[in-house]
Amino acid sequence: MAIEQENYVDQSTSMAIQDAVDNIRNVTEVSNTASGVALSKMLAGGDKPTCLLTIEEANRLIANAISNYEKIMEISIKGRKNNYKASIQKKKFFFF
């Protein structure tokens, strides 16, 4: 039973990491599109402050997605280490 639980924890953390990677990809795609449109409008004589603000916000969204990924990785690593330590303790207990 302990090994099955370890597998569930590892699977859940892996899925959380993959979701964070997907989020980075999706946010980056949308943000790059928004930046491209804003740059195009600015070069065509559009409202420069608004266009620059749009590009800045798009970059901020990407930075936030990366920050979230880093937090999820940190939490996942801690969770896996704790899961491993707990499973080692259980195995020692059952060998006595």
Side-chain angles (χ1 to χ4, degrees):
M1 185 67 162
I3 292 174
E4 186 177 337
Q5 291 170 341
E6 292 170 36
N7 290 340
Y8 288 142
V9 171
D10 289 344
Q11 183 180 20
S12 295
T13 55
S14 296
M15 289 170 56
I17 292 167
Q18 185 59 50
D19 286 347
V21 170
D22 291 341
N23 183 52
I24 290 174
R25 183 182 57 250
N26 294 337
V27 167
T28 300
E29 187 172 330
V30 170
S31 295
N32 286 340
T33 300
S35 292
V37 170
L39 184 60
S40 176
K41 286 188 177 195
M42 188 173 66
L43 292 174
D47 181 21
K48 185 175 180 178
T50 301
C51 293
L52 290 175
L53 186 64
T54 300
I55 293 168
E56 184 179 319
E57 185 61 31
N59 289 334
R60 197 170 327 163
L61 289 172
I62 294 170
N64 286 341
I66 292 169
S67 176
N68 288 339
Y69 170 80
E70 290 169 346
K71 289 175 189 174
I72 289 169
M73 284 298 295
E74 183 180 324
I75 291 168
S76 296
I77 289 168
K78 285 181 185 177
R80 283 185 163 183
K81 284 182 181 178
N82 291 339
N83 184 42
Y84 177 75
K85 288 177 187 175
S87 69
I88 293 297
Q89 291 299 330
K90 289 177 189 173
K91 288 174 186 171
K92 286 182 182 177
F93 176 75
F94 288 119
F95 285 127
F96 278 42

